[in-house]
């Protein structure tokens, strides 16, 4: 079965649009992009398009690639203090020379739509409510909407990034999965991935998940967004793994659109709660 992230995300955006109207919310998302990386600009444009679709206002701040960390921090302070801004998203990766950790830590945690602020990472770790990182949240929505069980199941994650690998591990753990996080130093990777009921690949290496690494019936979630000869492809060798997996997400059309849907949901949640729910 192919897991249709694109279709599910579209349905969720429709529902969110109705909720925003009914609840008379007027959320505003601010995006901050530093430099001129074409992929980053494309992603930010997609986020603004989604905002338009659901009735979220959006503003963008673009800073030149040679901006100093201090200038980025100053702009974020302005957005933090602006009562008209509900959510702040700093598009990653930031150009070399900018202190990403300080930038993320400077975002008001109440406006942190990505859930990347250390306080919100702590809330995720402990299971307290808070905004959850968008890609992991989108994956959990996809699993639950397709009734793919997690409780007692073996989840194997390939990749230990702070934005995907680690937080999806925690969300799956909170959902009572038995979680293994693999990475570039893992020995006998195929042996481990073959034991999974749910395999999440967030390694960022095209084609690293091959048919021999997947057991029949396994659910395979592909987070890869790799450019290969100008074409977007995932971490999974789709054509061979599709025949073995019980369920699999395509790239494009799988996790990517769910990430954007989660971002819209987080932005609306922040507008609803405004310092209440997350504290
Ligand atoms: N602060 C921050 N938050 C992020 O959430 C964040 C980020 N920085 N930096 C980059 C990554 C990447 N990311 C994607 C979002 C949507 C698609 C997506 O919708 N992709 C489409 C295809 C797009 C295409 O056609 O190229 C799909 O998979 O179907 C992909 C990747 C969010 N990220």
């Amino acid at each position: 079965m192919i897991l249709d992230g694109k279709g599910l995300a579209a349905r969720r955006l429709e529902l969110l649009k109705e909720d925003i109207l009914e609840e008379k919310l007027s959320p505003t998302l601010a995006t901050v992009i530093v430099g001129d990386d074409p992929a980053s600009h494309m992603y930010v444009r997609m986020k603004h398009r989604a905002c338009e679709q659901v009735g979220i206002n959006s503003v963008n701040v673009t800073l030149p690639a040679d901006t100093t960390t201090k200038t980025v921090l100053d702009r974020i302070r302005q957005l933090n203090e602006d009562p008209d801004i509900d959510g702040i998203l700093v598009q990653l990766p930031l150009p070399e020379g900018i202190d990403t950790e300080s930038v993320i830590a400077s975002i008001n945690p109440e406006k942190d739509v990505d859930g990347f602020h250390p306080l919100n990472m702590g809330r995720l770790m402990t299971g307290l409510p808070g905004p959850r990182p968008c890609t992991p949240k989108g994956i959990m929505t996809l699993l639950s909407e397709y009734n793919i069980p997690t409780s007692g199941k073996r989840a194997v994650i390939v990749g230990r990034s702070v934005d995907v690998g680690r937080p999806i591990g925690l969300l799956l753990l909170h959902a009572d999965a038995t979680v293994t996080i693999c990475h570039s130093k893992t020995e006998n990777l195929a042996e481990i991935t073959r034991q999974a009921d749910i395999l999440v690949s967030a390694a960022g290496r095209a084609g690293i998940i091959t048919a021999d690494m997947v057991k029949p019936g396994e659910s395979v979630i592909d987070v890869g967004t790799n450019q290969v000869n100008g074409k977007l492809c995932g971490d999974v060798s789709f054509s061979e793994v599709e025949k073995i997996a019980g369920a699999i997400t395509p790239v494009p059309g799988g996790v990517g659109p769910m990430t954007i849907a989660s971002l819209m949901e987080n932005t609306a949640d922040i507008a609803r709660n405004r310092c209440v729910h997350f504290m």
Side-chain angles (χ1 to χ4, degrees):
M1 174 178 44
I2 292 179
L3 304 173
D4 177 17
K6 189 176 177 185
L8 176 57
R11 289 195 294 283
R12 292 189 70 90
L13 292 180
E14 269 312 308
L15 293 176
L16 184 63
K17 179 185 181 174
E18 289 169 20
D19 289 346
I20 287 172
L21 266 177
E22 254 170 49
E23 296 168 49
K24 298 188 166 52
L25 299 172
S26 179
T28 302
L29 173 67
T31 57
V32 177
I33 182 161
V34 186
D36 40 27
D37 175 57
S40 293
H41 280 268
M42 187 198 70
Y43 288 136
V44 169
R45 274 198 304 279
M46 287 167 54
K47 290 165 187 179
H48 285 266
R49 211 176 307 138
C51 283
E52 225 169 277
Q53 222 179 308
V54 300
I56 292 177
N57 313 302
S58 62
V59 296
N60 178 245
V61 176
T62 301
L63 298 169
D66 60 358
T67 305
T68 61
T69 299
K70 186 182 171 300
T71 304
V72 180
L73 295 178
D74 284 342
R75 281 306 274 123
I76 289 174
R77 183 168 347 98
Q78 290 169 17
L79 295 169
N80 283 343
E81 289 170 359
D82 185 340
D84 293 336
I85 302 292
D86 295 287
I88 301 170
L89 177 143
V90 177
Q91 184 67 17
L92 301 178
L94 289 167
E96 242 174 88
I98 293 186
D99 180 356
T100 301
E101 277 174 32
S102 309
V103 169
I104 298 294
S106 78
I107 298 170
N108 177 350
E110 303 304 331
K111 297 190 175 189
D112 174 28
V113 278
D114 270 321
F116 287 168
H117 188 282
L119 179 71
N120 291 323
M121 288 291 192
R123 288 168 168 161
L124 168 61
M125 158 106 227
T126 52
L128 285 169
R132 300 304 191 219
C134 300
T135 299
K137 177 177 168 142
I139 292 169
M140 295 308 288
T141 303
L142 198 60
L143 293 173
S144 93
E145 291 285 324
Y146 275 95
N147 297 312
I148 295 170
T150 54
S151 180
K153 302 300 179 191
R154 270 203 95 143
V156 174
I157 295 144
V158 182
R160 53 176 154 176
S161 69
V162 171
D163 51 342
V164 183
R166 294 179 209 201
I168 188 61
L170 285 165
L171 289 181
L172 285 163
L173 188 61
H174 293 323
D176 299 321
T178 301
V179 175
T180 303
I181 301 183
C182 304
H183 47 77
S184 52
K185 300 288 192 294
T186 295
E187 294 179 359
N188 304 321
L189 179 63
E191 199 177 292
I192 300 168
T193 58
R194 266 200 304 271
Q195 290 174 29
D197 299 303
I198 298 167
L199 175 62
V200 179
S201 186
R205 287 177 180 272
I208 73 154
I209 305 298
T210 47
D212 57 299
M213 298 167 76
V214 174
K215 83 171 175 219
E218 205 169 298
S219 297
V220 179
I221 308 297
D222 189 349
V223 186
T225 54
N226 311 294
Q227 294 289 337
V228 178
N229 303 324
K231 203 171 148 256
L232 177 67
C233 60
D235 288 351
V236 178
S237 295
F238 186 86
S239 55
E240 56 179 80
V241 172
E242 181 199 13
K243 295 177 198 139
I244 298 159
I248 185 168
T249 61
V251 177
V255 172
M258 292 303 296
T259 298
I260 297 202
S262 300
L263 173 65
M264 299 300 111
E265 291 168 352
N266 280 355
T267 307
D269 273 343
I270 289 175
R272 275 187 194 108
N273 299 316
R274 259 335 205 1
C275 306
V276 182
H277 175 262
F278 295 149
M279 286 308 280

